[in-house]
Amino acid sequence: MTEQSFPAMSGTLVQPQPAVAPAPKFWRRTAPMLTAAALVAGLFGGVTGAVIASPDGRQASTSVVAQTVANQSTTDWTSVASKVLPSVVQVNVGNGLGSGVVLSADGKILTNNHVVASAGGSVTVTLNDGREVPATVVSTDPSSDLAVLQASGVSGLTPITWANSDDVKIGDGVMAIGSPSGLQGTVTTGIVSALDRKVTVPGESRRAASVSYQAIQTDASINPGNSGGALVNAAGELVGINSAIYSPASSSGEAGSVGIGFAIPSNTAKTIVDQLS
């Protein structure tokens, strides 16, 4: 497939399309938008985003490789959901929300930095059993878009099981779990569409540094509110932290999934967690 370029535009970029098709916009809920060599928009409802562009200001381009995927119907996704749901929480920050994964029985939580960046100290987490408990931001790493929280007064939580993301292959079945638009405990399935997709997200202010990482691309449906949630393999092990999507603007002005999502690989996340803990 021939590579196509994305013309530089003010506020919007153009998706590769046949000449006769209209060009959709890259959107992030609540405005500025993301930038990326691989095309992304943020997932956290109620926070800021950025416009997609190449880091040096030149036109960004990407190519899509067609994949023939084996039938995934033999995977017992019911069992996967039952295993992982207790390890995923909703993160509540002011008028916005995101998702997080449980790292320890006593309430250590991993989420995206952009979920809590504007928290101002006011954070709660809603556990899988419905309890809402206060939480504090323990440490953050804006350069990787990851943050660690500590939920208060909890015990006996189910920590997520880590996978080796280096073992992930294109075509592997995956499940995304989180709270899109506040619908806690939502699960969606898909496949790994690409690996090592470079994603660069500019800072949310002029003084903030951009965030870059090599992402896992998936077509599992993820939407605003999924940020910080789990992307797991068929064994229910964490392969990535959902962090960004590409989505054209809808007529209502809201962003939605079109099957192009991005996750921070679990090996990257594990390295950062070890440094932050």
Side-chain angles (χ1 to χ4, degrees), residues 75-89 101 128-129 158-161 173-178 184-189 230-238:
T75 300
D76 183 359
W77 291 116
T78 300
S79 295
V80 174
S82 296
K83 175 182 178 179
V84 181
L85 276 167
S87 302
V88 181
V89 303
V101 298
N128 179 247
D129 62 11
T158 304
I160 198 78
T161 301
V174 287
M175 172 179 282
I177 303 180
Q184 186 174 7
T186 294
V187 302
T188 55
T189 61
L231 186 71
V232 300
N233 60 20
E237 301 165 334
L238 185 73

Coordinates of all heavy atoms in Angstrom, one line a residue, residues 75-89 101 128-129 158-161 173-178 184-189 230-238:
T75 N -10.9 -18.4 22.0 CA -10.6 -17.8 23.3 C -11.8 -17.7 24.2 O -12.9 -17.2 23.7 CB -10.0 -16.4 23.1 OG1 -8.8 -16.5 22.3 CG2 -9.6 -15.7 24.4
D76 N -11.7 -18.0 25.5 CA -12.8 -17.9 26.4 C -12.7 -16.5 27.0 O -12.1 -16.3 28.1 CB -12.7 -19.0 27.5 CG -13.8 -19.0 28.5 OD1 -14.7 -18.1 28.3 OD2 -13.9 -19.8 29.4
W77 N -13.3 -15.5 26.4 CA -13.2 -14.1 26.8 C -14.0 -13.9 28.1 O -13.7 -13.0 28.9 CB -13.6 -13.2 25.7 CG -12.7 -13.1 24.6 CD1 -12.9 -13.5 23.3 CD2 -11.3 -12.6 24.6 NE1 -11.8 -13.3 22.5 CE2 -10.8 -12.8 23.3 CE3 -10.5 -12.1 25.6 CZ2 -9.5 -12.4 23.0 CZ3 -9.2 -11.8 25.3 CH2 -8.7 -11.9 24.0
T78 N -15.0 -14.8 28.3 CA -15.8 -14.7 29.6 C -14.9 -14.9 30.8 O -14.9 -14.2 31.8 CB -16.9 -15.7 29.6 OG1 -17.8 -15.5 28.5 CG2 -17.7 -15.6 30.9
S79 N -14.0 -15.9 30.7 CA -13.1 -16.2 31.8 C -12.0 -15.1 31.9 O -11.6 -14.7 33.0 CB -12.4 -17.5 31.5 OG -13.3 -18.6 31.6
V80 N -11.6 -14.6 30.8 CA -10.6 -13.5 30.8 C -11.2 -12.3 31.5 O -10.6 -11.7 32.4 CB -10.2 -13.1 29.4 CG1 -9.3 -11.8 29.4 CG2 -9.4 -14.2 28.7
A81 N -12.4 -11.9 31.2 CA -13.1 -10.8 31.9 C -13.2 -11.0 33.3 O -13.0 -10.1 34.2 CB -14.5 -10.5 31.2
S82 N -13.7 -12.2 33.7 CA -13.8 -12.5 35.2 C -12.5 -12.4 35.9 O -12.5 -11.9 37.1 CB -14.4 -13.9 35.3 OG -15.7 -14.0 34.7
K83 N -11.4 -12.8 35.3 CA -10.1 -12.7 35.9 C -9.6 -11.3 36.1 O -9.1 -10.9 37.1 CB -9.1 -13.5 35.1 CG -7.7 -13.4 35.6 CD -6.7 -14.2 34.8 CE -5.3 -14.0 35.3 NZ -4.3 -14.8 34.4
V84 N -9.8 -10.4 35.1 CA -9.2 -9.1 35.0 C -10.1 -8.0 35.6 O -9.5 -7.0 36.2 CB -8.8 -8.8 33.6 CG1 -8.1 -7.4 33.5 CG2 -7.9 -9.8 33.0
L85 N -11.4 -8.1 35.5 CA -12.2 -7.0 36.0 C -11.9 -6.6 37.5 O -11.9 -5.4 37.7 CB -13.7 -7.4 35.9 CG -14.3 -7.2 34.5 CD1 -15.7 -7.9 34.4 CD2 -14.5 -5.7 34.3
P86 N -11.7 -7.5 38.4 CA -11.3 -7.0 39.8 C -10.1 -6.2 39.9 O -9.8 -5.5 40.9 CB -11.2 -8.3 40.6 CG -12.0 -9.3 39.8 CD -11.8 -9.0 38.3
S87 N -9.2 -6.3 38.8 CA -7.9 -5.6 38.8 C -8.0 -4.2 38.1 O -7.0 -3.6 37.9 CB -6.9 -6.4 38.2 OG -6.7 -7.7 38.8
V88 N -9.2 -3.8 37.7 CA -9.3 -2.5 37.0 C -10.3 -1.6 37.7 O -11.3 -2.0 38.2 CB -9.8 -2.7 35.5 CG1 -10.0 -1.4 34.8 CG2 -8.9 -3.7 34.8
V89 N -9.9 -0.3 37.9 CA -10.7 0.6 38.7 C -11.0 1.8 37.8 O -10.4 2.0 36.7 CB -10.0 1.1 39.9 CG1 -9.6 -0.1 40.8 CG2 -8.7 1.9 39.6
V101 N -5.2 0.4 36.8 CA -5.0 -1.0 37.1 C -4.4 -1.2 38.4 O -3.6 -0.4 38.9 CB -4.2 -1.7 36.0 CG1 -4.9 -1.7 34.6 CG2 -2.8 -1.2 35.9
N128 N -13.9 -2.3 41.6 CA -14.8 -3.1 40.8 C -16.1 -3.5 41.6 O -17.1 -3.7 41.0 CB -14.1 -4.4 40.4 CG -14.9 -5.3 39.5 OD1 -15.2 -6.4 40.0 ND2 -15.3 -4.9 38.4
D129 N -16.0 -3.5 42.9 CA -17.2 -3.9 43.7 C -18.1 -2.7 44.0 O -19.1 -2.8 44.7 CB -16.8 -4.6 45.0 CG -15.9 -3.7 45.9 OD1 -15.8 -2.4 45.7 OD2 -15.4 -4.2 46.9
T158 N -7.1 -7.3 44.0 CA -6.5 -8.3 43.1 C -5.5 -7.6 42.2 O -6.0 -6.9 41.2 CB -7.6 -9.0 42.3 OG1 -8.5 -9.6 43.2 CG2 -6.9 -10.1 41.4
P159 N -4.2 -7.7 42.4 CA -3.3 -7.1 41.5 C -3.4 -7.7 40.1 O -3.6 -8.9 39.9 CB -1.9 -7.4 42.1 CG -2.2 -7.8 43.5 CD -3.6 -8.4 43.5
I160 N -3.1 -6.8 39.1 CA -3.0 -7.3 37.7 C -1.9 -8.2 37.5 O -0.8 -8.1 38.2 CB -2.9 -6.0 36.7 CG1 -3.3 -6.4 35.3 CG2 -1.5 -5.4 36.8 CD1 -4.7 -6.5 35.1
T161 N -2.0 -9.1 36.6 CA -0.9 -10.0 36.2 C -0.1 -9.5 35.0 O -0.8 -9.2 34.0 CB -1.4 -11.4 35.9 OG1 -2.1 -12.0 37.0 CG2 -0.2 -12.4 35.6
G173 N -5.2 -11.9 19.9 CA -6.4 -11.4 20.5 C -6.1 -10.6 21.8 O -5.3 -11.0 22.6
V174 N -6.8 -9.5 22.0 CA -6.7 -8.7 23.2 C -8.0 -8.2 23.6 O -9.0 -8.1 22.9 CB -5.7 -7.5 22.9 CG1 -4.3 -7.9 22.8 CG2 -6.2 -6.7 21.7
M175 N -8.1 -7.9 24.9 CA -9.3 -7.3 25.5 C -8.9 -6.0 26.2 O -7.9 -5.9 27.0 CB -9.9 -8.3 26.5 CG -11.1 -7.7 27.4 SD -11.8 -8.9 28.5 CE -12.8 -9.9 27.4
A176 N -9.7 -4.9 26.0 CA -9.5 -3.7 26.7 C -10.6 -3.6 27.8 O -11.8 -3.9 27.5 CB -9.7 -2.5 25.7
I177 N -10.2 -3.1 29.0 CA -11.1 -3.0 30.1 C -10.9 -1.6 30.7 O -9.8 -1.2 31.0 CB -10.9 -4.1 31.2 CG1 -11.0 -5.5 30.5 CG2 -11.9 -3.9 32.3 CD1 -10.8 -6.6 31.5
G178 N -12.1 -0.9 31.0 CA -12.0 0.4 31.6 C -13.4 1.0 31.7 O -14.4 0.3 31.8
Q184 N -18.3 2.0 33.8 CA -17.3 1.2 34.5 C -17.4 -0.3 34.2 O -18.5 -0.8 34.1 CB -17.3 1.4 36.0 CG -16.1 0.7 36.7 CD -16.1 1.0 38.2 OE1 -17.0 1.7 38.7 NE2 -15.0 0.6 38.9
G185 N -16.3 -0.9 34.1 CA -16.3 -2.4 33.8 C -16.6 -2.8 32.4 O -17.1 -3.9 32.2
T186 N -16.5 -1.8 31.5 CA -16.7 -2.2 30.1 C -15.6 -3.0 29.5 O -14.4 -2.6 29.6 CB -16.9 -0.9 29.2 OG1 -18.1 -0.2 29.7 CG2 -17.1 -1.2 27.7
V187 N -15.9 -4.1 28.8 CA -14.9 -4.9 28.1 C -15.1 -4.9 26.6 O -16.3 -5.0 26.2 CB -14.8 -6.3 28.7 CG1 -14.6 -6.3 30.2 CG2 -16.1 -7.1 28.4
T188 N -14.1 -4.8 25.9 CA -14.2 -4.9 24.4 C -13.0 -5.8 23.9 O -11.9 -5.8 24.6 CB -14.1 -3.5 23.7 OG1 -12.9 -2.8 24.1 CG2 -15.3 -2.7 24.1
T189 N -13.2 -6.4 22.8 CA -12.1 -7.3 22.3 C -11.7 -6.9 20.9 O -12.5 -6.3 20.2 CB -12.5 -8.8 22.3 OG1 -13.7 -9.0 21.5 CG2 -12.8 -9.3 23.7
A230 N -6.7 -1.3 31.3 CA -5.9 -2.5 30.9 C -6.2 -3.0 29.5 O -7.3 -3.0 29.0 CB -6.2 -3.7 31.9
L231 N -5.1 -3.3 28.8 CA -5.1 -4.1 27.6 C -4.5 -5.4 27.9 O -3.3 -5.5 28.3 CB -4.4 -3.4 26.4 CG -4.5 -4.1 25.1 CD1 -6.0 -3.9 24.5 CD2 -3.5 -3.5 24.1
V232 N -5.3 -6.5 27.8 CA -4.8 -7.8 28.3 C -4.8 -8.8 27.1 O -5.6 -8.7 26.2 CB -5.6 -8.3 29.5 CG1 -5.5 -7.4 30.7 CG2 -7.0 -8.6 29.1
N233 N -4.0 -9.9 27.3 CA -4.0 -10.9 26.3 C -5.0 -12.0 26.6 O -5.8 -11.9 27.6 CB -2.6 -11.5 26.1 CG -2.1 -12.1 27.5 OD1 -2.8 -12.4 28.4 ND2 -0.8 -12.3 27.6
A234 N -5.0 -13.1 25.8 CA -6.0 -14.1 26.0 C -5.9 -14.9 27.3 O -6.8 -15.6 27.7 CB -6.0 -15.1 24.8
A235 N -4.7 -14.7 28.0 CA -4.5 -15.3 29.3 C -4.9 -14.4 30.4 O -4.7 -14.7 31.6 CB -3.0 -15.8 29.4
G236 N -5.4 -13.2 30.1 CA -5.8 -12.2 31.1 C -4.6 -11.5 31.7 O -4.7 -11.1 32.9
E237 N -3.5 -11.4 31.0 CA -2.3 -10.8 31.5 C -2.1 -9.4 30.8 O -2.4 -9.2 29.6 CB -1.0 -11.6 31.2 CG -1.1 -13.0 31.8 CD -0.1 -14.0 31.2 OE1 0.3 -13.8 30.0 OE2 0.3 -14.9 31.9
L238 N -1.6 -8.4 31.6 CA -1.5 -7.1 31.1 C -0.4 -7.0 30.0 O 0.8 -7.2 30.3 CB -1.1 -6.1 32.2 CG -1.1 -4.6 31.9 CD1 -2.5 -4.1 31.7 CD2 -0.4 -3.9 33.0

